[in-house]
Structure formats: structure tokens, C-alpha cells
Amino acid sequence: MFRHTRDEFSVLAHENFDDLIGAAAILTEKYEQIDKKNIIEVTDSFFDELERNNKKNAINSLQSSLVNLAAVGAKHKGNRRIEDFLGLYRNLPKNQEQMRGCMITHISQMVTGISSLNLVLSDWYGALMDESVLVRASAIKAWENVPFEVVKNFPDLFFDAFSLALSDPYKMVHKSAVSVGE
């Protein structure tokens, strides 16, 4: 149900905004626990590594769906709820890269016009310049959901920052930039 939601669940998402963001935050903790190793644990086999990656992908997918639904709910309520979403994003600790990246990926879901663009632009630009590779790559991925009619309202500085991703030394950021540009 969560994976392919559109605007039809916007009222429900708005009413449960805090629960959706809270559930996504809890998944960040679960995601980080997967990589923690026990002191007594023996070396991992190929299948152990494969299982760990599958768990991380499943958690990441569910977290992304929850945050996407929260962004749809924020868009439904308008600028006040968008500011709530951004406030949560701004207050996340820098070391919670997974959640920060997930939230910035869905920031473009809330862009419906100039007013909402003005609200998200500084955070989105900051994410494009973030020290975290994951957050930068996520900020690039957010471009996929920008409505075409809003693109002309983006400032040139944003496109300059976006184009820097094509020369980013990290493969994750560069791959995201190339895939969005296709």
C-alpha cells in the first residue's frame, strides 16, 4: 500500500503525518543496527552479506515510502505542513544520513508552485552541497519529481549546484546525476 501512493491518500497522510515521520525515523535506527557487529561474530559469508543487503534494501524502501506519503500529506495541507516537514528535516542530527537523505529525496513532492518552491529551495540547495555523499545523491534524485511547469522558476544558482554533481568524485552522486539527466 505504501509503495505506490499518489494524491488519493493525501488526507489520510496529512492526518497521520507525525506517525509516518516517526515510523520512518524508527526504521533509521533499525537500518543502522544491521551494520553493527557482535564482538563474537564470525566472518560473514557471501550469503550473510546478501541477507544483510536485502534487509537494508527492504528497510530503505519502506522508509522511503513512509516519507513519500508524509510529503504528500504535507503538500495537501499547504505551506504550514511543508514548514513542519522542513523543520523536522533541519532538526535531524548530521549523523542520521539515511533519514536526511530519505527526506530530501521526497522534498520535490511538496513543490506545487512558487510559494512552496521558495520554502524548500534553501534546504534542497544545502543538500546538494552537503558533506554527506548519501544526502547529495538523494538531493539529485529529488529532481525526478519536479513538476515541469515549476522548473522555469528555479534560480540559476540551483542549476549550477546541480551540474556540479556530474563532476562529483563519488560514484553514488555522479550516478544519480547521470540517471536523472537521462
Side-chain angles (χ1 to χ4, degrees):
M1 175 192 155
F2 294 116
R3 291 181 191 233
H4 303 291
T5 57
R6 300 277 187 247
D7 291 337
E8 63 265 10
F9 293 116
S10 61
V11 174
L12 182 63
H14 162 66
E15 291 172 359
N16 296 295
F17 177 82
D18 294 330
D19 296 332
L20 292 167
I21 292 293
I26 290 170
L27 287 172
T28 297
E29 191 176 306
K30 295 290 185 192
Y31 185 90
E32 291 170 355
Q33 286 176 355
I34 291 173
D35 284 333
K36 291 183 180 173
K37 294 190 177 222
N38 290 332
I39 296 171
I40 304 173
E41 191 173 308
V42 288
T43 56
D44 292 334
S45 70
F46 170 76
F47 294 110
D48 291 334
E49 188 66 28
L50 189 61
E51 182 180 353
R52 184 175 17 261
N53 286 335
N54 285 341
K55 284 180 184 178
K56 288 170 74 171
N57 286 337
I59 289 171
N60 187 38
S61 178
L62 180 57
Q63 182 182 43
S64 180
S65 297
L66 291 169
V67 172
N68 179 47
L69 193 55
V72 167
K75 176 176 73 173
H76 171 76
K77 190 59 178 174
N79 289 351
R80 187 180 69 72
R81 196 50 118 172
I82 292 171
E83 289 171 355
D84 291 344
F85 185 95
L86 294 172
L88 290 169
Y89 170 76
R90 291 174 189 140
N91 289 323
L92 286 172
K94 290 285 186 189
N95 66 346
Q96 283 194 359
E97 294 176 7
Q98 181 66 26
M99 184 67 175
R100 289 176 48 231
C102 191
M103 288 184 80
I104 207 67
T105 298
H106 298 289
I107 200 166
S108 58
Q109 292 283 13
M110 298 179 292
V111 176
T112 57
I114 295 173
S115 174
S116 57
L117 176 63
N118 286 335
L119 290 174
V120 303
L121 200 55
S122 65
D123 293 297
W124 198 352
Y125 180 79
L128 286 170
M129 297 292 141
D130 200 271
E131 62 193 42
S132 166
V133 174
L134 178 66
V135 173
R136 286 197 316 270
S138 299
I140 298 292
K141 288 178 188 173
W143 183 255
E144 293 176 343
N145 297 318
V146 176
F148 184 73
E149 60 275 358
V150 179
V151 171
K152 64 182 177 226
N153 296 312
F154 276 79
D156 291 338
L157 183 61
F158 183 86
F159 292 114
D160 292 343
F162 192 87
S163 65
L164 286 175
L166 292 170
S167 61
D168 197 283
Y170 292 95
K171 186 177 179 180
M172 178 188 258
V173 177
H174 185 78
K175 263 176 88 171
S176 293
V178 170
S179 70
V180 168
E182 293 177 343

